[in-house]
């Protein structure tokens, strides 16, 4: 079953072909980072215009790399939300039109569910996820702790009360004058800095709930930087990153202990962070738990995760899926 996935929820125009939900035949991503960099963040109007310009070529490239023509596709999938409305419209309508023209099923995909699934999208035999799974999705727009009992049954245990983890990386990088996107730059610089140079707050780490908060940490970095402009930026980055990682890993581990869940997963752009991956590996090894991490190129936005989860949604797609509209602010609760 060859499924074409399309992803345009933010600033990446992406298309991919995945066979049977596991085998990635192509994974094309056209990044608009350079377009948005001068503005220090994604400009929605520019993003949608670029999606429109790029989408046809990106889909053609995904088909060519997979060695397939459109008629070989068994279904077409595209992200319906959450994301930027004007960006979502491009990919969703392109996908619907293509499916309609081909007479193949159309599968609308929830971007957060696709991120979640990217952690277990592993074609090796014996590496399948076991349930229950405790999944942390840490992206530019979301920080979600989810208990997964099947790929239909999601219980959101906690989420951020203010900024998402990736948003904190991006905002801190901006206030330190490091450019956009912030995560990769801070990851690089932190490797050369001292994580114990500055004691930044670990918000909600010792709160009994599973929610997160990162805006106080961002503000603390801002004040520290104003008051101590000579502290090496690498030290500030390493200390900030350590605070984020302490909270993410600490709360994930504590929830796993409390719920008695021994299979963990992490996905989304921030799960690409090297310190996060290192700390998570240490903790899961110490506990004898299983950890599913998306490979680096599947952590950030991509269409392979869209095509892959669509395979699991296809049998349920008996209704009129072409009628599905964009849902810019939806969460995992809209998964059907
Ligand atoms: O999942 P994603 O591509 O987009 C959303 O759906 O939001 O995540 C993008 C986010 C950005 O905030 C970016 O700064 C962050 O992921 N990110 C990282 C790293 N690479 C990307 N954060 C920390 N360390 C990284 N290495
Ligand atoms: Zn994303």
């Amino acid at each position: 079953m060859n499924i074409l996935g399309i992803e345009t929820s933010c600033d990446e125009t992406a298309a991919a072909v995945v066979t049977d939900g596991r085998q990635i035949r192509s994974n094309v991503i056209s990044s608009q980072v350079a377009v948005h960099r001068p503005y220090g963040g994604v400009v929605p109007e520019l993003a949608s215009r670029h999606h429109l310009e790029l989408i046809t070529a990106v889909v053609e490239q995904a088909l060519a790399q997979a060695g397939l023509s459109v008629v070989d596709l068994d279904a077409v999938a595209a992200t319906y939300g959450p994301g930027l409305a004007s960006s979502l419209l491009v990919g969703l309508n392109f996908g619907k039109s293509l499916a309609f023209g081909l007479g193949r099923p159309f599968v609308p995909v929830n971007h957060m569910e696709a991120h979640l699934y990217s952690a277990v999208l592993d074609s090796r035999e014996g590496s399948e996820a076991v349930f229950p799974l405790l999944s942390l999705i840490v992206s530019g727009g979301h920080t979600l702790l989810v208990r997964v009992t099947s790929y239909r049954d999601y219980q959101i245990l906690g989420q951020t009360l203010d900024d998402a983890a990736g948003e904190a990386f991006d905002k801190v990088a901006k206030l330190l004058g490091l450019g956009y996107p912030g995560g990769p730059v801070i990851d690089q610089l932190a490797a050369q800095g001292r994580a114990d140079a500055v004691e930044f707050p670990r918000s909600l780490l010792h709160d009994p709930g599973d929610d997160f908060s990162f805006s106080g940490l961002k503000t603390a970095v801002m004040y520290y930087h104003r008051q101590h402009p000579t502290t090496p930026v690498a030290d500030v980055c390493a200390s900030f990153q350590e605070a984020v990682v302490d909270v993410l890993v600490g709360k994930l581990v504590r929830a796993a202990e409390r719920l008695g869940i021994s299979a963990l997963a992490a996905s989304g752009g921030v799960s690409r962070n090297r310190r996060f991956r290192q700390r998570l590996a240490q903790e899961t090894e110490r506990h004898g738990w299983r950890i599913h991490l998306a490979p680096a190129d599947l952590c950030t936005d991509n269409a392979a995760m869209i095509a892959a989860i669509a395979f699991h949604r296809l049998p349920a797609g008996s209704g009129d899926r072409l009628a599905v509209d964009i849902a810019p602010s939806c969460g995992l609760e809209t998964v059907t």
Side-chain angles (χ1 to χ4, degrees):
M1 174 87 58
N2 297 315
I3 302 184
L4 172 74
I6 297 172
E7 156 62 40
T8 63
S9 68
C10 191
D11 61 338
E12 322 278 5
T13 317
V17 178
V18 177
T19 303
D20 296 339
R22 301 206 119 210
Q23 192 201 342
I24 300 174
R25 313 249 322 226
S26 63
N27 187 20
V28 179
I29 304 171
S30 177
S31 171
Q32 301 181 12
V33 162
V35 173
H36 302 284
R37 187 169 282 135
Y39 306 94
V42 178
V43 183
E45 175 69 20
L46 288 179
S48 58
R49 283 170 190 239
H50 277 82
H51 286 313
L52 269 176
E53 281 168 18
L54 294 164
I55 186 87
T56 307
V58 167
V59 167
E60 281 173 354
Q61 207 181 330
L63 286 166
Q65 280 184 16
L68 298 174
S69 116
V70 272
V71 293
D72 300 319
L73 294 174
D74 297 294
V76 179
T79 308
Y80 67 85
L84 300 170
S86 51
S87 289
L88 288 166
L89 279 169
V90 178
L92 189 76
N93 284 317
F94 192 99
K96 282 185 189 179
S97 315
L98 185 57
F100 182 71
L102 290 169
R104 301 281 195 276
F106 175 72
V107 188
V109 170
N110 182 297
H111 183 80
M112 302 318 293
E113 186 186 27
H115 267 306
L116 192 155
Y117 190 70
S118 67
V120 295
L121 201 179
D122 188 327
S123 56
R124 282 176 297 139
E125 282 298 318
S127 58
E128 292 89 358
V130 287
F131 299 112
L133 186 69
L134 189 61
S135 174
L136 181 68
I137 312 172
V138 271
S139 69
H142 294 82
T143 305
L144 287 179
L145 185 63
V146 189
R147 179 195 181 129
V148 185
T149 30
S150 77
Y151 290 121
R152 210 163 271 285
D153 198 351
Y154 305 110
Q155 182 193 2
I156 296 176
L157 302 169
Q159 54 195 309
T160 184
L161 302 175
D162 38 58
D163 292 350
E167 196 177 349
F169 271 92
D170 293 335
K171 287 180 174 172
V172 163
K174 195 170 181 176
L175 69 90
L176 293 175
L178 300 175
Y180 166 86
V185 190
I186 290 182
D187 190 337
Q188 288 292 335
L189 275 169
Q192 300 146 35
R194 282 179 36 225
D196 60 354
V198 192
E199 185 65 24
F200 287 125
R202 269 75 172 152
S203 306
L204 301 185
L205 178 57
H206 301 296
D207 182 272
D210 293 316
D211 286 333
F212 300 86
S213 165
F214 294 105
S215 92
L217 170 60
K218 167 202 67 194
T219 310
V221 176
M222 183 179 79
Y223 283 123
Y224 179 87
H225 183 60
R226 266 193 211 159
Q227 286 155 13
H228 306 86
T230 54
T231 304
V233 172
D235 285 351
V236 179
C237 287
S239 303
F240 158 76
Q241 178 179 273
E242 200 66 12
V244 176
V245 171
D246 269 353
V247 172
L248 293 177
V249 175
K251 298 204 81 158
L252 177 62
V253 166
R254 205 184 54 204
E257 284 171 341
R258 188 184 76 235
L259 299 166
I261 298 179
S262 58
L264 272 53
S267 56
V270 179
S271 72
R272 200 168 176 151
N273 183 271
R274 290 173 299 170
R275 182 66 179 144
F276 173 74
R277 293 172 90 92
Q278 183 191 35
R279 288 277 304 283
L280 203 50
Q282 284 166 353
E283 284 296 324
T284 47
E285 198 183 315
R286 191 165 70 81
H287 284 84
W289 292 337
R290 195 168 162 161
I291 176 74
H292 296 276
L293 273 170
D297 59 336
L298 296 185
C299 287
T300 37
D301 289 348
N302 65 86
M305 65 183 189
I306 306 298
I309 189 69
F311 177 72
H312 296 276
R313 287 282 159 263
L314 206 46
S318 48
D320 183 7
R321 316 298 282 176
L322 285 173
V324 170
D325 198 1
I326 58 162
S329 316
C330 70
L332 272 171
E333 74 285 351
T334 58
V335 170
T336 54

